[in-house]
Amino acid sequence: MPLDLATIRAAHERIRPFIKRTPVLTSERLDAACGGSLFFKCENFQEAGAFKSRGACNAVFSLTDAEASSGVVTHSSGNHAAALARAAQLRGITAHIIMPAGAPESKVRNVGSYGGWITFCEPNLAAREAACAQVAARTGATIVHPFDDLRVAAGQGTAAVELLEDEPALDVILCPVGGGGLLCGTAVAAKALRPGVKVIGVEPALADDVAQSFHAKHRISIPTPATIADGLRTNCTGEKNFPIILESVDDVVTVSETGIVAAMRAIWETLHIVVEPSAAVPYAAIMEGKLSAQGRRIGIILTGGNVDLDKLPWVKS
Amino acid sequence: MPLDLATIRAAHERIRPFIKRTPVLTSERLDAACGGSLFFKCENFQEAGAFKSRGACNAVFSLTDAEASSGVVTHSSGNHAAALARAAQLRGITAHIIMPAGAPESKVRNVGSYGGWITFCEPNLAAREAACAQVAARTGATIVHPFDDLRVAAGQGTAAVELLEDEPALDVILCPVGGGGLLCGTAVAAKALRPGVKVIGVEPALADDVAQSFHAKHRISIPTPATIADGLRTNCTGEKNFPIILESVDDVVTVSETGIVAAMRAIWETLHIVVEPSAAVPYAAIMEGKLSAQGRRIGIILTGGNVDLDKLPWVKS
């Protein structure tokens, strides 16, 4: 299955009953501060608290009944895990979730609340992939990778479709980059709907595997990054995603950790919404002057809102 | 000028260029927890961070050019002050704001950011009213009372008009009660648009002047209340509001301080939005079982989102 506007539109029809049409928010103050017009697509309001519900629902509801009957499996400690558990629950099938030992209680509880079957493993990528393959082999469950799966990327691209329906005249769309599923879905959807729009990925400088790869034009892997943006701690972009990113994305820029925290706080205070650090990364690029907003209409995908309210980065503990 | 659907609709037309059409959010989880369907009208996203921009804009843009040329004046340390300063700035006139000495820095800054002219006075109601009258006498400015002004109440009622446009089949509408401006605007709009709907005010038990007055059928004044819901620390409902509240409101119920904090946190965590304590008061009534949500469609006006992110009630300092 290719990733194109037709597959993204088909995904949109498929997932519509199971996801929210999230609003687009604006702010006089944030616009005045940057000299442009910013349009924030609030995927922090999405079911399970993140855009990941789009890709997870598309993957789960794309399965044949025979495939679905054996369930699905993934390795993730974050928003994809909760979104996949929820999607599986909606279809009435089993979701096996491989989580690293020591994952935060709140994330374990969240997956459990959607009926996910959790298996703990050693906290490294090799152990997670091995456990995932083992569960798949034993149960026949379909592996739904958090980002390197074009059904998932097609689902993620539906956020950009809605954003451009609400705000057709955008000059730029910014989204955070972890593994690149959202970025390639966004770029393919946006370029098909509005050929002149620029699509720019933003990454923490501490987790710049995609920025490095994009500029080197080949995939570069980095050690597990220590960024506060916990949704973007990936080692390397996906094999399937990367050629699409190279072809369709205009640039990948990076931001500092202090910039991420400042952007997160500015969004909470000004838009009055709760976003997680990963979701604040694109606005950090504007605050840090990594791209000019002057006179431009910029869409920003706010990816998620799952944070521990007892551990806010600006509160000294 | 009476307060009726026609004046509220006229207010809506008048203020439309200056306010936001705020979205209505829902949550599978909050619905499952209460057995009903909850529809949250997000006035925390309103310009200046609260529904107060509706009433303030209606008052300011109702003035004749001759009246407007002398400016407006109010006494308020909170959201009404910022909203009035913003409305005056939009009309290009002066807003004099009487604030109590010792008001939080963030609130003073907020009023200043909209170009309000601040006068400090002793922190009690008599001193605030005296200072307000003095400024009005000296400058000819029109007093725009925070709640006991039917132009203000008509503006506040426009939030209920939008809520019922988006969700026509509500059984109940809940709103917080401070001085009663929002409550009487909401009740008049809602009963005219949907006669069967119940309109219920919710107050902190520590600030139950309107609940007491409603049940006694005459206005009762209380000492300045110490509730965490800083937007609802009024001594007594307004003279103009009270007969409307008695006629149009179905009940006024009260909630505990711990209930307010628990409701605020639940809203932050589940809806992924920032609301101030006052805005969490109606949901606290559902959490505390002060009214049954079972099988009912309940609209809730989330009044504002102005909080100090360094002083969250669940973070020990």
Side-chain angles (χ1 to χ4, degrees):
Chain A
M1 193 187 70
L3 182 64
D4 58 20
L5 185 60
T7 54
I8 293 169
R9 286 217 188 274
H12 211 186
E13 287 311 307
R14 185 176 294 121
I15 69 180
R16 208 182 290 278
F18 312 113
I19 62 155
K20 278 191 176 139
R21 171 91 190 200
T22 55
V24 175
L25 296 185
T26 59
S27 161
E28 288 178 347
R29 289 209 168 164
L30 296 183
D31 286 358
C34 73
S37 301
L38 307 182
F39 301 91
F40 294 91
K41 174 72 171 165
C42 289
E43 289 295 300
N44 55 322
F45 302 159
Q46 191 49 266
E47 298 295 351
F51 75 97
K52 294 280 187 181
S53 278
R54 296 176 181 269
C57 282
N58 192 47
V60 164
F61 287 93
S62 295
L63 298 176
T64 64
D65 286 345
E67 288 167 338
S69 67
S70 301
V72 288
V73 59
T74 197
H75 58 90
S76 161
S77 59
N79 291 331
H80 175 67
L84 190 69
R86 176 178 172 275
Q89 189 177 52
L90 286 168
R91 187 150 182 190
I93 64 175
T94 302
H96 304 274
I97 310 291
I98 315 296
M99 297 186 85
E105 255 306 295
S106 62
K107 303 219 160 174
V108 176
R109 249 199 330 269
N110 204 20
V111 170
S113 76
Y114 291 115
W117 291 28
I118 300 170
T119 305
F120 289 100
C121 72
E122 291 299 303
N124 62 66
L125 187 64
R128 284 160 62 164
E129 287 182 341
C132 193
Q134 207 175 6
V135 169
R138 197 183 69 233
T139 62
T142 301
I143 295 175
V144 181
H145 192 277
F147 54 84
D148 201 23
D149 179 316
L150 295 186
R151 296 163 304 182
V152 169
Q156 319 304 33
T158 62
V161 173
E162 294 176 10
L163 174 58
L164 283 164
E165 280 172 3
D166 287 0
E167 293 298 333
L170 295 180
D171 301 308
V172 183
I173 296 179
L174 302 181
C175 68
V177 196
L182 176 66
L183 181 58
C184 71
T186 299
V188 168
K191 297 284 177 162
L193 291 167
R194 184 168 170 79
V197 73
K198 301 278 180 212
V199 175
I200 299 175
V202 189
E203 246 183 344
L206 286 186
D208 67 345
D209 55 298
V210 179
Q212 283 192 44
S213 304
F214 183 80
H215 295 294
K217 299 196 193 308
H218 63 88
R219 290 167 69 223
I220 292 172
S221 185
I222 62 171
T224 300
T227 174
I228 190 175
D230 56 321
L232 311 179
R233 288 182 195 143
T234 43
N235 306 94
C236 188
T237 181
E239 269 182 67
K240 301 190 184 84
N241 294 341
F242 187 61
I244 301 171
I245 291 174
L246 267 189
E247 192 183 316
S248 302
V249 170
D250 294 281
D251 201 359
V252 180
V253 302
T254 64
V255 295
S256 73
E257 295 293 299
T258 52
I260 295 169
V261 174
M264 179 177 165
R265 183 162 179 154
I267 290 169
W268 285 45
E269 280 186 333
T270 313
L271 292 175
H272 303 293
I273 61 177
V274 171
V275 294
E276 56 190 77
S278 304
V281 162
Y283 182 62
I286 291 175
M287 284 180 79
E288 292 194 329
K290 295 303 172 71
L291 71 150
S292 168
Q294 191 61 47
R296 298 167 98 184
R297 297 170 62 83
I298 302 181
I300 293 178
I301 300 181
L302 292 175
T303 43
N306 292 322
V307 290
D308 184 343
L309 292 179
D310 290 316
K311 290 183 187 157
L312 298 178
W314 51 78
V315 176
K316 287 175 195 125
S317 60
Chain B
M1 194 186 72
L3 182 66
D4 57 22
L5 185 60
T7 53
I8 294 169
R9 286 217 187 276
H12 210 187
E13 287 313 306
R14 186 176 295 120
I15 68 180
R16 208 183 289 278
F18 311 113
I19 61 155
K20 279 192 174 138
R21 171 91 190 199
T22 55
V24 175
L25 297 185
T26 59
S27 160
E28 289 178 346
R29 286 209 171 166
L30 295 184
D31 286 357
C34 72
S37 300
L38 306 182
F39 300 91
F40 295 90
K41 174 71 171 164
C42 289
E43 289 296 298
N44 55 322
F45 301 159
Q46 191 49 266
E47 298 296 352
F51 75 97
K52 295 281 188 180
S53 278
R54 296 177 181 268
C57 282
N58 192 46
V60 165
F61 287 92
S62 295
L63 298 175
T64 65
D65 286 346
E67 289 167 336
S69 66
S70 302
V72 288
V73 58
T74 198
H75 58 91
S76 159
S77 59
N79 291 332
H80 175 67
L84 190 69
R86 176 178 172 275
Q89 189 176 52
L90 286 168
R91 189 151 181 190
I93 64 175
T94 303
H96 304 273
I97 310 290
I98 316 296
M99 296 186 86
E105 255 306 295
S106 62
K107 303 219 159 172
V108 177
R109 250 200 330 270
N110 204 21
V111 169
S113 76
Y114 292 114
W117 291 27
I118 299 169
T119 305
F120 290 100
C121 72
E122 291 298 303
N124 61 66
L125 187 64
R128 284 160 62 164
E129 288 182 341
C132 194
Q134 207 176 4
V135 170
R138 196 182 70 233
T139 62
T142 302
I143 296 175
V144 181
H145 192 277
F147 54 83
D148 201 23
D149 179 315
L150 294 186
R151 296 163 304 183
V152 170
Q156 318 305 34
T158 61
V161 172
E162 294 177 9
L163 174 58
L164 283 164
E165 280 172 4
D166 288 1
E167 292 298 333
L170 295 180
D171 301 308
V172 183
I173 296 179
L174 301 181
C175 70
V177 194
L182 176 65
L183 181 59
C184 72
T186 300
V188 168
K191 297 283 177 164
L193 291 166
R194 185 167 168 82
V197 74
K198 301 279 180 213
V199 175
I200 299 174
V202 189
E203 247 184 343
L206 286 187
D208 66 346
D209 55 298
V210 180
Q212 283 191 44
S213 304
F214 183 79
H215 294 296
K217 299 195 194 306
H218 63 90
R219 288 167 70 223
I220 292 172
S221 185
I222 61 171
T224 300
T227 174
I228 189 176
D230 56 321
L232 310 179
R233 289 181 195 145
T234 44
N235 307 95
C236 188
T237 181
E239 269 182 67
K240 302 190 184 84
N241 295 340
F242 188 62
I244 301 171
I245 290 173
L246 267 190
E247 190 183 319
S248 302
V249 170
D250 294 282
D251 202 359
V252 181
V253 301
T254 64
V255 296
S256 72
E257 296 293 298
T258 52
I260 295 168
V261 175
M264 179 176 165
R265 183 163 179 152
I267 290 168
W268 286 45
E269 281 187 331
T270 313
L271 291 176
H272 302 293
I273 62 178
V274 171
V275 293
E276 56 191 76
S278 304
V281 163
Y283 182 62
I286 291 175
M287 282 179 82
E288 291 193 329
K290 295 301 172 72
L291 70 150
S292 168
Q294 191 63 45
R296 298 167 98 185
R297 295 170 64 83
I298 301 181
I300 294 177
I301 300 181
L302 292 175
T303 44
N306 292 322
V307 291
D308 183 343
L309 292 178
D310 290 316
K311 290 183 187 157
L312 299 178
W314 52 78
V315 176
K316 287 177 197 123
S317 60

